[in-house]
Amino acid sequence: MVDSQNTPARQRPSIVSISSYLLYLFLACQVISLIITLSTLGKTRDAIRDAYAASTVDNADQVADVFFAVGLASSVLLLLFAVVLAVLAIFNNQGRNGARITTWIVGGIMVCCVGAGLLSGAAGGMTTGGETGGNGPSGEELQRRMEEALPSWVNPVSILLGVISLIALVTALILLALPKANPFFRKTTAAWEPPTPGASYPGHPQAPGQPGYPQAPGEPGYPSSGEPSYPPPPAANRPDDTPPADRPGSTPPSTS
């Protein structure tokens, strides 16, 4: 029999708590990145639209809109994944192994996405695209126009947020995989303890006659039911007993 009341509470390792804090940090970085993206996408779209103004490329007027939609969708998607990781961090703190496995899966996907974004930003974004075809602007021209349209701090801050996000996420996944965290996510079973002699299990009445309950009728210490009571037998007079003078009785024989 397993007594749930005697099951010891699992102590959460510090590495699990630190991992959850790093996932919260990753979410905060994605929120800041989305704010920066929303504040600069309009200027970026206008810069791309101006660069394609004199171009004869097919659907040149839609390139800026496509770039705007892709940039916004990718930022929102990263934020949603970051929210999922933050929710999983809450369940990780409760010792749920399924949440830890899901964190590894979602976190691995996010590592690839953030890493690819950092590589693209470090390589100059659209500068590696070469000529776009026709008399359209080159990648270098597009990059120059976007840099002129955006504040100078946007690109360095975006790269810094990406680096912090990547480091925090990778570290969080590694901490969850350390052997020290395994016992916390393993289901524990309470050891069976033999009952104490004379004790009863809670919620179950004892059988009649067991210690701790009134004794059955007729047992010593309780008056018997239905039996007549008799006076105690008279005590025999001892030789040295002398009846009192006012008590009737035979006169002792004379010794003269």
Side-chain angles (χ1 to χ4, degrees), residues 115-149:
L118 282 176
L119 291 177
S120 177
M126 302 182 67
T127 58
T128 59
E131 297 292 335
T132 58
N135 63 345
S138 63
E140 291 81 359
E141 176 67 15
L142 290 174
Q143 186 68 25
R144 183 184 65 80
R145 286 179 176 269
M146 287 188 296
E147 289 177 355
E148 291 177 353

Side-chain angles (χ1 to χ4, degrees), residues 5 46 58 60 66 68 77 81 96 135 169 172 193-195 199 211 216 218 220-221 223 230 233 235 238 250-251:
Q5 296 180 352
D46 294 339
D58 295 338
V66 171
F68 180 88
L77 186 61
F81 275 107
R96 301 190 181 185
N135 63 345
L169 183 56
E193 296 183 3
Y230 296 92
R238 292 178 295 178
S250 59
T251 302

